Amino acid sequence: MIIWAAVLFLASLPRVAGAAEDMREQAHFVVGQEVVAPAVGPFSATIGAFGNGHFLMPGGGFEPVVFRTMFQASGGGEDRILASTETLSNSDSWRNGALDGADVEVLRIENGAFRSVRQGRIAQGGYRVAGWTRLNPGKVVPGEQTQALLSFPTWYRTGVPYYFTVRAVGSDGGLSEPADAAVAQRTLALPKSGNATRLTGVAARSDAVSERLPTPRGLRARELETGEIELQWEAVPGAAGYALYRSDVPPEAHLDAYLQLEEAGARIREGDLVLLRTRFLRAERKNLLSNRIWDSGEPRRDFIPPLVRKWSDEAGGGDWRLVPHPVDTPVPDAGETHLRVMLGESERFAVGRFNHSGLAQSWYPVLEPGRRYRFEVWMRGKTLQSVRFELTGFHASVEGGAFAPILFRLTPQWRRYSAEFSVPVANPGRGAGRMQIVLTGPGEFDIDNFRVTRADAPYLALLPEDEERLAASGMTSLRTHGFVRTGRSSYDLAQLTNPAGASSGTEGGNTLPQVLDEFARLSVDPWLQIEPHLTEAEWLGLAEYLAAPFDPSVDTAARKPWAARRHATGQGVPWAEKFEQITLEIGNETWNGLFAPWVFPRMQDAVDGQRYSAGEVYGLYQEYILSILKRSPYWEVLAPKLRPVLGGRAGLGDWAGFRYGGEAAQRSDGSGVLTHAGYIGGWESGSAPGDPTANGLFRVLTHVLQTGLPQARSQIEAAARIGEARGQAPETGMYEAGPGYVLDGLNGRRVSPEQGAAQELAMKSKAAGTATLDSFLARARLGMVEQNFFLYGDGSHWSSHRRWQHGGQILPAWELLALFNRIGTGDMLAVRTLDVPVVDLLGEKGRESVQAAPLVDAYATRSGDRVTLVLVSRRVPGLADTKDDGVTRVTLDLPFKTTQRVTRISQSGQWDSHNLTSREVTLQREDVPPGSVLPRFEVAELPPGSTVFYVFEGVE
């Protein structure tokens, strides 16, 4: 595959007319006075969960688990909602009764608008999902066989009966009636032996007869000593195969899949959008999980608080539950609940998580030798038991410093326990370690506000280096990625507005008051990503929280509960008055199944029958949310500050396009900005993993010409067409952009460790920094108003900086964007090209062919008496001519004759230098004599793959 890709690219190498030395004389630009794009920049960025301790110990506030999900009904009645067993059971994951008592809201499109048509609650015993689950849908046991061996993963439940049936499948795909069920007790949790029956597909025949086949007879089931279940049955004449089914309960207990509601109401229709909402204060596995996922770790996230490892009813689970705090609790920033654990004699229970590892991996943080860390927790116990805080793994070993557990004795009263610690050496390996509080019974233990932080900053405040980096970046707004991608374990408005850390469903325990307070200190505006599942009351509450004044001398918490909540955290002035702008984005990539269930389906209007695409449904839902916000008594305060945006897709054609985001914009007049993703490679653009060779970095540098600009033009043209239809075109922009990556396993892609290391070198190179800024400026020149870099933070892949163990250095792309924010913003001026090195770029999947593609470009902005000139080189040396050094001589005709000062700012290093392991690429500044030859300005050498700024101050 790698060889093929290289050969393909060699076939598209540039064809250059003239010798290399001639090319160095051919770049000539004329900068005009005409403004082609007003007020360009500053750019913005996305930030994930942040703050001191957000990764070390998130979820230590022990708040209720907020469970929310969304699906479409297949029909129903006045007191019943129908959907497939697969939908309601989450593919045979949840059992009968799991969501009894959950709140239900039904949304429907009527006359081109969403309407909430039904609210209710699932009755006790009303969550019905048990039935036959087909094994390997679409596959059958070959027709000549009358037996099957079934293997099960070790996490399937043991000690319980499993029920089986089989149906004969005709050559046309038709099914017989199910055989009488057979039952087998599964007692052995053994690894798969590899002997399981191989199933095949059945292709329908054109001459097939659609008569129903006889029912298979004589079905028997037994467990073998290998742990497999053997099924046998009698042959059915004419069967092309046999479909297999399994169930946790006997057939007589099977019912149709449905939700029985407590009360009757408006009739449920096929295609209605159903939202389920409930909360869990304890999680009993026997009442929630099917046998299929009994011992799987995956479902824990939906029902169990982040720092708890076991189910409430599991052996060693401490019968845990979340207990409400009284109003007068002495625990500060307490939130709603705390964790209570009840242990018997000598029972052991650990609260914590894997949160650190070593230098040989890139996912977990590495504890820094000599740095002071702080652990703290609020606890009480009915018995005077001793508990301990400990580290496991490398740092508990002799070579890792033999970390001594921190012991403390509980009292019956709430008390804060805290201590600082450090580690003497860094972990050189890959093994992950836990930080945890270990309880030993007997006794009843109450726990809250368990935190592990660095000792040099308050809890969940920005770390000193983050504050310095963000302040220096000049970013105009930060997009809150920690509030989305929650899945079913999410948040309600109460948790979203809780004190810092008092949230079970937001990433890193981030909450609105914490995030907005840090943004206000940085003087950056919030770009709020909020999941789409809030109730109408919660959306109205959010408007109140952001925009309502609160004067404790006249206002009350009963009348303004959400404004009072804000005021109680010390923010008296409404947040809407603290910021120039509040951007609102509903969900995250609501077309992307990775972020299910918060993706939108196709729907049909219940009144006129009009069919809406998923993108149109997204737009209608956005309008629905805006219609709720507009009913708020504080809308007049919020409206001037609120900027609703829509997020489309990335890439060329339907995969990315504008079809989703554009169709959403057609249905959402209130959304003034239509955004897409615009990476310079990676899985989002369908690219292969980047590599740091000349060929690979040339592809990165020319991505803007073959993908970025064609996408941007299409998006802007689509926005213009939308404007013709709705009266005003939405502005366009990028909700995410920058260096892109391909991940192993994502969307079926395979990336070897060697390829992963190579793309890290490529995307954190000087050339990738040039390509990133080039793409931002090229789109801005076309008129795009929003350009958002993904992602601020340290680490591998999408990041702005490296971690401390790699030097903590800034990465080239972020450095150039931040530099532009500081010295390049302003009106973008017209630049005319008189001469420039060009190549012909051949098209391929995801990249358009470009004739005479320019390999050097110039951008100019003006702000007052300052003009900033940005030169970018898309060249790399030696591609067309091994003697070509890739350096370009540039001549510029400027729109002014005098200037008081000229500063040249460039990045050090070669075009393929990178900041992955050390700071090879850094900013270099030098004063340039203004000279007496203006308005002509000569740049003797523009290095390949580079960006050079010239800042002219005091121009006339």
Side-chain angles (χ1 to χ4, degrees):
M1 177 64 181
I2 302 171
I3 296 174
W4 176 86
V7 171
L8 176 66
F9 183 72
L10 288 173
S12 63
L13 285 176
R15 300 192 297 270
V16 183
E21 58 269 21
D22 294 332
M23 294 178 63
R24 296 183 65 175
E25 301 300 330
Q26 297 304 310
H28 189 173
F29 302 99
V30 178
V31 180
Q33 295 278 12
E34 177 189 359
V35 174
V36 295
V40 172
F43 304 126
S44 60
T46 298
I47 187 170
F50 68 87
N52 190 15
H54 80 272
F55 191 94
L56 289 175
M57 204 59 65
F62 299 108
E63 292 302 291
V65 176
V66 176
F67 180 100
R68 297 190 171 189
T69 191
M70 180 173 73
F71 63 90
Q72 278 187 283
S74 62
E78 295 179 351
D79 61 355
R80 182 171 292 189
I81 299 173
L82 301 181
S84 70
T85 301
E86 182 170 341
T87 295
L88 290 183
S89 69
N90 188 30
S91 299
D92 188 29
S93 298
W94 308 326
R95 66 190 314 110
N96 279 345
L99 299 180
D100 286 354
D103 292 329
V104 174
E105 182 175 15
V106 179
L107 301 177
R108 183 179 298 158
I109 298 176
E110 295 182 343
N111 297 313
F114 265 106
R115 190 166 72 88
S116 180
V117 298
R118 186 72 188 277
Q119 296 181 11
R121 182 170 295 161
I122 300 174
Q124 290 302 308
Y127 180 75
R128 308 299 301 179
V129 296
W132 289 119
T133 297
R134 184 164 177 177
L135 307 182
N136 298 101
K139 301 285 187 178
V140 298
V141 177
E144 63 273 12
Q145 296 180 213
T146 58
Q147 67 176 19
L149 286 179
L150 304 179
S151 290
F152 298 95
T154 55
W155 56 77
Y156 274 50
R157 191 177 184 181
T158 57
V160 294
Y162 286 76
Y163 300 85
F164 300 93
T165 190
V166 61
R167 302 175 76 174
V169 182
S171 56
D172 59 353
L175 294 168
S176 73
E177 290 292 334
D180 290 342
V183 61
Q185 188 90 358
R186 183 167 183 267
T187 62
L188 302 173
L190 299 177
K192 289 186 176 183
S193 66
N195 297 324
T197 300
R198 293 185 178 276
L199 305 184
T200 62
V202 174
R205 293 200 334 244
S206 60
D207 60 346
V209 178
S210 59
E211 295 181 2
R212 172 163 282 187
L213 293 171
T215 302
R217 297 180 180 277
L219 178 63
R220 304 179 300 281
R222 67 184 181 118
E223 184 182 38
L224 305 181
E225 61 184 13
T226 59
E228 293 155 328
I229 301 293
E230 180 187 62
L231 302 180
Q232 294 181 330
W233 60 91
E234 297 175 9
V236 173
Y242 300 92
L244 306 178
Y245 297 81
R246 177 185 50 75
S247 176
D248 289 356
V249 299
E252 56 267 26
H254 290 183
L255 296 169
D256 291 336
Y258 63 87
L259 306 180
Q260 184 68 42
L261 304 181
E262 289 182 343
E263 297 180 354
R267 187 176 187 84
I268 308 301
R269 300 186 184 182
E270 180 181 0
D272 283 348
L273 196 62
V274 181
L275 286 94
L276 297 186
R277 305 179 179 103
T278 191
R279 308 165 94 221
F280 291 97
L281 298 180
R282 58 186 280 113
E284 296 184 350
R285 181 167 52 172
K286 66 182 180 182
N287 296 328
L288 295 170
L289 298 191
S290 71
N291 295 341
R292 183 184 70 85
I293 61 168
W294 187 257
D295 274 327
S296 170
E298 181 63 27
R300 297 174 189 270
R301 186 180 184 278
D302 287 341
F303 304 106
I304 295 179
L307 303 184
V308 177
R309 303 178 71 182
K310 293 181 177 290
W311 300 88
S312 296
D313 59 343
E314 186 177 358
D319 193 31
W320 68 261
R321 65 198 64 213
L322 299 171
V323 179
H325 277 290
V327 175
D328 60 348
T329 178
V331 179
D333 298 330
E336 180 182 346
T337 58
H338 66 269
L339 178 68
R340 175 166 293 170
V341 178
M342 302 180 67
L343 299 177
E345 186 71 38
S346 300
E347 280 191 304
R348 182 179 180 274
F349 188 90
V351 181
R353 71 184 303 232
F354 287 100
N355 64 1
H356 62 283
S357 184
L359 300 173
Q361 55 80 54
S362 61
W363 172 249
Y364 289 103
V366 178
L367 298 183
E368 188 174 354
R371 180 175 289 284
R372 303 298 296 174
Y373 296 91
R374 178 183 295 117
F375 125 82
E376 67 175 72
V377 66
W378 280 78
M379 290 190 67
R380 66 181 177 183
K382 285 193 174 180
T383 57
L384 302 181
Q385 293 286 73
S386 291
V387 300
R388 71 178 187 269
F389 170 76
E390 67 179 19
L391 274 61
T392 71
F394 173 79
H395 292 295
S397 69
V398 173
E399 62 178 331
F403 180 86
I406 299 170
L407 303 176
F408 50 98
R409 181 173 291 275
L410 301 184
T411 69
Q413 292 78 37
W414 281 108
R415 180 180 169 188
R416 176 180 176 269
Y417 301 90
S418 177
E420 291 190 4
F421 64 94
S422 62
V423 297
V425 294
N427 178 357
R430 304 181 60 87
R434 286 175 57 87
M435 294 184 188
Q436 57 189 22
I437 292 174
V438 180
L439 317 175
T440 303
E444 179 181 287
F445 304 84
D446 287 343
I447 312 169
D448 207 359
N449 288 357
F450 178 24
R451 302 167 177 177
V452 178
T453 64
R454 281 177 24 182
D456 58 343
Y459 176 60
L460 283 186
L462 284 167
L463 291 170
E465 61 268 28
D466 289 322
E467 186 167 355
E468 180 181 352
R469 292 165 178 174
L470 287 168
S473 75
M475 296 295 169
T476 184
S477 64
L478 292 174
R479 180 170 172 255
T480 59
H481 222 44
F483 293 155
V484 288
R485 305 165 298 127
T486 60
R488 290 176 291 267
S489 179
S490 195
Y491 51 80
D492 52 22
L493 185 61
Q495 283 195 18
L496 190 61
T497 56
N498 264 348
S503 171
S504 67
T506 60
E507 186 180 3
N510 282 185
T511 63
L512 266 180
Q514 167 240 343
V515 166
L516 295 178
D517 184 62
E518 293 297 296
F519 286 7
R521 290 200 308 112
L522 287 171
S523 298
V524 300
D525 287 334
W527 179 330
L528 297 179
Q529 288 187 279
I530 305 292
E531 294 287 27
H533 56 57
L534 298 188
T535 67
E536 179 177 332
E538 286 174 328
W539 287 115
L540 289 170
L542 179 62
E544 179 184 311
Y545 181 82
L546 293 174
F550 188 84
D551 182 347
S553 66
V554 295
D555 293 321
T556 65
R559 192 168 69 89
K560 291 183 177 180
W562 301 103
R565 197 175 181 87
R566 185 198 68 234
H567 189 274
T569 63
Q571 184 57 43
V573 176
W575 288 116
E577 296 182 21
K578 295 284 290 186
F579 299 107
E580 293 294 320
Q581 183 172 261
I582 299 174
T583 300
L584 178 64
E585 180 183 355
I586 303 301
N588 180 73
E589 294 186 350
T590 54
W591 48 269
N592 190 339
L594 289 173
F595 307 121
W598 312 120
V599 294
F600 291 104
R602 295 187 294 271
M603 293 183 70
Q604 186 174 5
D605 196 298
V607 175
D608 60 21
Q610 181 170 347
R611 297 182 182 277
Y612 295 101
S613 69
E616 289 177 303
V617 171
Y618 172 34
L620 291 174
Y621 196 88
Q622 179 108 333
E623 282 298 290
Y624 172 66
I625 299 305
L626 292 176
S627 72
I628 295 173
L629 294 176
K630 289 175 182 177
R631 295 202 300 273
S632 167
Y634 314 106
W635 175 248
E636 290 187 2
V637 177
L638 182 60
K641 299 294 183 73
L642 191 69
R643 184 182 70 153
V645 303
L646 292 165
R649 286 174 149 180
L652 289 172
D654 290 345
W655 156 245
F658 343 103
R659 178 163 292 196
Y660 185 83
E663 289 176 352
Q666 290 173 357
R667 299 293 177 181
S668 180
D669 291 353
S671 300
V673 185
L674 171 58
T675 60
H676 298 81
Y679 291 94
I680 57 170
W683 79 271
E684 296 91 346
S685 61
S687 302
D691 70 82
T693 63
N695 287 354
L697 291 181
F698 183 72
R699 290 175 64 82
V700 171
L701 288 162
T702 56
H703 187 275
V704 65
L705 302 174
Q706 295 187 276
T707 303
L709 284 174
Q711 283 182 5
R713 292 188 187 101
S714 296
Q715 291 156 3
I716 291 169
E717 290 168 3
R721 292 192 298 271
I722 294 168
E724 292 174 0
R726 76 181 203 183
Q728 182 177 2
E731 295 178 334
T732 57
M734 294 289 145
Y735 66 86
E736 291 175 7
Y741 298 83
V742 183
L743 297 183
D744 187 46
L746 182 61
N747 287 356
R749 304 288 294 276
R750 306 312 319 172
V751 179
S752 70
E754 294 75 17
Q755 287 175 308
Q759 77 171 343
E760 282 285 283
L761 291 171
M763 290 301 176
K764 292 175 172 57
S765 68
K766 180 179 178 179
T770 290
T772 298
L773 180 62
D774 189 13
S775 66
F776 276 51
L777 295 179
R779 288 188 291 256
R781 185 158 58 189
L782 292 180
M784 283 201 167
V785 299
E786 183 62 59
Q787 307 265 8
N788 185 283
F789 177 85
F790 189 91
L791 171 78
Y792 174 78
D794 57 11
S796 62
H797 298 96
W798 297 269
S799 56
S800 60
H801 294 76
R802 297 294 282 155
R803 285 184 169 161
W804 73 263
Q805 63 266 33
H806 302 125
Q809 59 271 9
I810 191 171
L811 295 174
W814 178 268
E815 185 170 55
L816 288 178
L817 295 178
L819 178 62
F820 182 86
N821 284 347
R822 296 193 299 269
I823 65 170
T825 60
D827 295 335
M828 185 169 280
L829 304 177
V831 176
R832 183 161 51 96
T833 302
L834 298 184
D835 204 356
V836 70
V838 298
V839 297
D840 294 340
L841 300 172
L842 299 184
E844 59 184 80
K845 184 179 180 181
R847 296 174 78 107
E848 292 191 359
S849 62
V850 181
Q851 301 298 309
L855 291 185
V856 175
D857 214 335
Y859 304 94
T861 61
R862 183 163 192 162
S863 178
D865 66 351
R866 186 204 72 206
V867 171
T868 300
L869 183 68
V870 183
L871 301 179
V872 298
S873 170
R874 303 172 185 134
R875 303 180 64 197
V876 296
L879 279 184
D881 182 346
T882 57
K883 298 180 180 179
D884 177 17
D885 62 3
V887 177
T888 308
R889 183 179 179 86
V890 182
T891 301
L892 298 119
D893 296 330
L894 301 176
F896 50 86
K897 295 183 179 180
T898 63
T899 181
Q900 296 179 11
R901 183 181 180 186
V902 183
T903 305
R904 181 184 190 273
I905 308 174
S906 61
Q907 289 183 315
S908 63
Q910 302 301 310
W911 54 278
D912 58 351
S913 297
H914 59 81
N915 281 1
L916 190 65
T917 55
S918 62
R919 192 165 187 184
E920 298 178 12
V921 182
T922 186
L923 290 182
Q924 296 180 321
R925 300 170 183 266
E926 59 179 304
D927 290 333
V928 178
S932 58
V933 294
L934 293 180
R936 176 151 292 187
F937 188 76
E938 299 284 352
V939 178
E941 293 186 350
L942 175 63
S946 300
T947 301
V948 178
F949 283 71
Y950 287 92
V951 183
F952 301 86
E953 297 174 279
V955 302
E956 295 182 7

